[in-house]
Amino acid sequence: MASFKPTKIQVYPKLGEKVTQDTLYWKNYKAPVQIKEFGAITNIDFSPVAPHNFAVTAFTRVHIYGPFSQEPVKTFTRFKDTAYSGRFRSDGQLFVAGCEDSVVRLFDVSGKVALRMFKGHTKAVHVTDFTSDRYQILTGSDDYTCRLWDIPNATELTTYQEHTDYIRCGVTSKLNRDLFITGSYDHTLKVFDARADKSVMTMDHGQPVESLLLYPSEGLLISAGGRYVKVWDLLKGGQPLVSLKNHHKTVTCLCLSSNGQRLLSASLDRHVKVYNTTNYKVVHNFDYAASILSLALAPDDESIVVGMTNGILSIKHRKSLEESKEISGQQKRRPSYRVFVKGKNYVPKQDDYLVSKPVKQHLAKYDKQLKKFNVSKALDTALERKPEITVAVIKELDRRGTLKNALAGRDEQGLSHLLNFLIGNMVDPRFAPVLVTAADMILDIYQSVIGQSPVVDRQLLRLQELLEREIDYQQDLVEVLGMLDTMFASSLPRKEVNLHLSRRKTESINSDREERRMLEAAAQNGNSSCTD
């Protein structure tokens, strides 16, 4: 008796992930180190001087971590309420942070007590930053004002009250100590010059602005708010250049890579997108477990630090060259194929007595049912699997001539399950040749019950609309194909007629004529001889 042959599942070509230099670069990080903070992490800032410690602002404290430490090397806790926007000065010696109690505090990185306390705002201060000359501080508050403070004298220098909503982000120029930019929930970005009494440029983002970022050349400005990331040309009076909408929720923070050629944006949708700054296409994507509030890159992109709403700080360190080589070597050694095929090619000698070991055949559930000729159950089992398996089982049933039996005798629920599968996979070019036959049989079998079930009727109408739409697409494609064929044919150069071939054709035609004349003459001579 012949053994049962399992159903052959056709393997379809898969479009694998395109491996680019960006993919290799941004995937070359170790598994993340996760640290639990006391509250949502609203800001992360790296020190510009070695060893490049980073400050994490969360709840009522600011922790400073070393590059590879999992415990804070320094903690600032002199805040009466939630702290915001902890930032280092360019020399790494001073540190400033805002607070919910409207007081701005200046710290020495090596000390604990605040060196200066700047009081003047009436609501929470969410924006703090140092100017490029290191002697002034920019602050932005929920009282709609942004202010400049003098560090040595601890006095307020200038106040601007042009925004009409909370100021939640700001950035100072690294090339000019008098220039700074603020973003507000009133949807506007304003460029200020400390030598002027009012803003010198205003741009409308269209959404509450959450983050700002200047390019190193400071000719371009990037703003994030809502689901949009927008790029502005400051040298052309704030002209919008690009508007990106790759996130599904609010974009909360922005960051540039060390060489300035990649832009990173993080969002409440738990994703970090990496853009190429030449064409602003997404080249890589990071996924996280919770909504992201803050993001920072270490110098030379040595680590990616992300702060989330659930208080988790995620730190990814770049793999060293030795670790990358070791991992690649492990990947090469992993498939030890020789072990599994050892002895498979051994051929017995003439005097050897061969004992064959019976190989147990492991069948899938639908194959076991097919073996017992339970065709309906086999089809039901296949419908719960991947579409490739279901189509293979339908094809096998059609080959056996039992597909009609497997489709018949179904109740409303079973028929609805079948129609759902057809609606989801009918227009897939991989499955269409098989499923069209099945759909035709279903309509023949159940045409008498059409109109008795509103569920089945709705599904049949959906299937009809789907097929009509697909036919329209195919007709449009055929028309386009005809146009392309015409264009290609007209663009091809005309081939010159070969004179040698034309002569040979002429000679053959003339020889045919001569033969015909000779045959006619012979026939006439024969007729005349018969009459004589």
Side-chain angles (χ1 to χ4, degrees):
M1 181 179 176
S3 61
F4 178 81
K5 292 183 179 179
T7 305
K8 186 177 179 181
I9 309 299
Q10 186 173 349
V11 179
Y12 297 96
K14 292 182 180 179
L15 294 175
E17 182 183 358
K18 189 177 179 182
V19 178
T20 62
Q21 290 299 321
D22 282 292
T23 306
L24 297 174
Y25 183 81
W26 295 105
K27 277 193 171 182
N28 194 30
Y29 286 94
K30 301 177 187 176
V33 176
Q34 295 189 341
I35 302 170
K36 178 65 176 175
E37 289 287 344
F38 292 93
I41 301 165
T42 56
N43 192 73
I44 302 168
D45 188 53
F46 273 90
S47 173
V49 297
H52 304 299
N53 296 337
F54 58 92
V56 177
T57 309
F59 195 43
T60 59
R61 60 192 67 196
V62 178
H63 290 308
I64 296 181
Y65 291 88
F68 298 99
S69 65
Q70 297 188 23
E71 295 293 332
V73 297
K74 190 81 176 178
T75 302
F76 298 102
T77 58
R78 304 284 178 160
F79 298 96
K80 296 180 179 179
D81 209 331
T82 306
Y84 299 110
S85 186
R87 289 185 178 272
F88 287 99
R89 198 166 72 170
S90 59
D91 59 0
Q93 296 180 0
L94 294 183
F95 180 82
V96 67
C99 185
E100 188 72 29
D101 64 1
S102 76
V103 178
V104 180
R105 291 170 174 84
L106 180 71
F107 298 91
D108 185 349
V109 173
S110 59
K112 287 188 176 180
V113 182
L115 296 177
R116 296 280 191 275
M117 296 178 67
F118 303 95
K119 298 180 180 179
H121 286 291
T122 57
K123 289 187 179 180
V125 179
H126 283 262
V127 181
T128 61
D129 202 359
F130 291 94
T131 57
S132 59
D133 65 353
R134 303 182 184 177
Y135 298 117
Q136 295 178 7
I137 292 174
L138 165 70
T139 60
S141 169
D142 286 355
D143 61 8
Y144 310 164
T145 65
C146 56
R147 305 178 188 226
L148 282 175
W149 308 82
D150 183 62
I151 295 176
N153 300 320
T155 57
E156 180 183 317
L157 297 175
T158 317
T159 302
Y160 297 96
Q161 189 168 1
E162 295 193 19
H163 287 291
T164 57
D165 209 333
Y166 300 155
I167 300 173
R168 289 297 173 89
C169 56
V171 61
T172 58
S173 168
K174 299 295 182 286
L175 305 178
N176 188 332
R177 68 171 192 172
D178 296 315
L179 288 179
F180 61 91
I181 306 167
T182 58
S184 169
Y185 277 11
D186 63 6
H187 302 186
T188 62
L189 320 169
K190 290 186 181 289
V191 181
F192 293 93
D193 189 334
R195 296 163 292 189
D197 297 333
K198 59 180 182 179
S199 61
V200 295
M201 194 185 301
T202 302
M203 293 153 281
D204 185 8
H205 181 83
Q207 300 283 336
V209 186
E210 299 283 352
S211 182
L212 291 176
L213 185 65
L214 270 173
Y215 271 77
S217 64
E218 300 192 356
L220 297 177
L221 172 71
I222 309 169
S223 62
R227 294 171 57 192
Y228 295 91
V229 175
K230 296 187 178 183
V231 183
W232 311 84
D233 191 343
L234 297 180
L235 301 179
K236 292 185 178 180
Q239 178 181 338
L241 294 181
V242 182
S243 179
L244 307 172
K245 190 181 179 183
N246 297 98
H247 288 282
H248 302 298
K249 292 184 180 180
T250 301
V251 183
T252 54
C253 47
L254 300 167
C255 183
L256 272 177
S257 64
S258 57
N259 58 8
Q261 296 180 0
R262 296 294 180 267
L263 168 68
L264 284 76
S265 65
S267 166
L268 296 178
D269 62 6
R270 303 183 292 109
H271 294 295
V272 174
K273 307 279 185 185
V274 183
Y275 305 88
N276 186 337
T277 53
T278 55
N279 54 14
Y280 292 100
K281 297 285 181 67
V282 176
V283 295
H284 195 67
N285 180 63
F286 293 100
D287 296 332
Y288 287 89
S291 299
I292 302 169
L293 290 179
S294 51
L295 164 72
L297 269 177
D300 298 325
D301 304 337
E302 285 299 317
S303 56
I304 302 175
V305 185
V306 166
M308 292 173 264
T309 52
N310 59 358
I312 296 294
L313 181 70
S314 174
I315 308 168
K316 289 183 178 180
H317 296 291
R318 184 169 291 282
K319 295 173 185 173
S320 62
L321 190 61
E322 292 78 11
E323 288 175 323
S324 300
K325 288 182 179 178
E326 185 181 344
I327 290 171
S328 62
Q330 288 175 357
Q331 288 176 346
K332 287 178 183 177
R333 290 195 303 267
R334 187 175 56 188
S336 52
Y337 181 70
R338 290 171 299 183
V339 176
F340 298 105
V341 298
K342 191 175 181 180
K344 297 275 184 175
N345 298 327
Y346 181 77
V347 179
K349 296 178 182 178
Q350 188 174 3
D351 298 331
D352 288 344
Y353 182 75
L354 181 64
V355 179
S356 60
K357 183 181 178 181
V359 180
K360 187 176 180 180
Q361 191 178 37
H362 296 280
L363 297 176
K365 188 176 179 181
Y366 52 86
D367 276 329
K368 291 178 182 177
Q369 290 163 340
L370 283 175
K371 190 176 181 180
K372 296 177 181 177
F373 301 101
N374 295 330
V375 290
S376 294
K377 290 183 179 179
L379 182 57
D380 291 339
T381 304
L383 283 170
E384 299 172 0
R385 307 293 185 91
K386 295 189 294 185
E388 291 86 352
I389 295 175
T390 310
V391 172
V393 171
I394 293 174
K395 191 174 181 180
E396 175 64 19
L397 291 171
D398 189 32
R399 187 189 68 82
R400 294 183 177 196
T402 56
L403 179 58
K404 205 162 191 176
N405 296 337
L407 296 172
R410 294 179 176 269
D411 57 6
E412 182 182 9
Q413 186 177 356
L415 182 58
S416 176
H417 197 23
L418 264 175
L419 291 174
N420 270 334
F421 178 79
L422 290 176
I423 291 168
N425 299 279
M426 178 71 107
V427 296
D428 193 323
R430 301 175 300 170
F431 310 140
V434 178
L435 295 184
V436 165
T437 305
D440 196 17
M441 287 187 182
I442 289 173
L443 292 176
D444 286 342
I445 296 168
Y446 296 100
Q447 62 181 350
S448 60
V449 299
I450 293 175
Q452 298 180 13
S453 168
V455 176
V456 173
D457 291 346
R458 280 197 300 270
Q459 288 177 319
L460 289 172
L461 287 174
R462 280 182 61 194
L463 185 61
Q464 181 184 0
E465 292 170 2
L466 190 70
L467 291 174
E468 289 175 352
R469 197 182 312 125
E470 183 66 19
I471 291 169
D472 291 340
Y473 289 154
Q474 297 287 347
Q475 289 175 347
D476 293 342
L477 286 172
V478 169
E479 291 177 5
V480 172
L481 186 62
M483 296 175 191
L484 291 174
D485 287 342
T486 307
M487 291 171 61
F488 293 148
S490 61
S491 64
L492 290 173
R494 294 182 180 179
K495 294 182 180 179
E496 295 182 1
V497 179
N498 195 326
L499 295 175
H500 180 66
L501 290 175
S502 63
R503 277 182 197 157
R504 289 181 61 184
K505 286 181 181 178
T506 308
E507 290 174 359
S508 64
I509 292 169
N510 292 333
S511 63
D512 289 343
R513 287 177 181 173
E514 289 295 329
E515 288 180 2
R516 197 178 301 146
R517 285 174 188 168
M518 291 174 65
L519 289 171
E520 288 176 356
Q524 288 177 359
N525 292 334
N527 291 334
S528 62
S529 62
C530 287
T531 52
D532 293 338

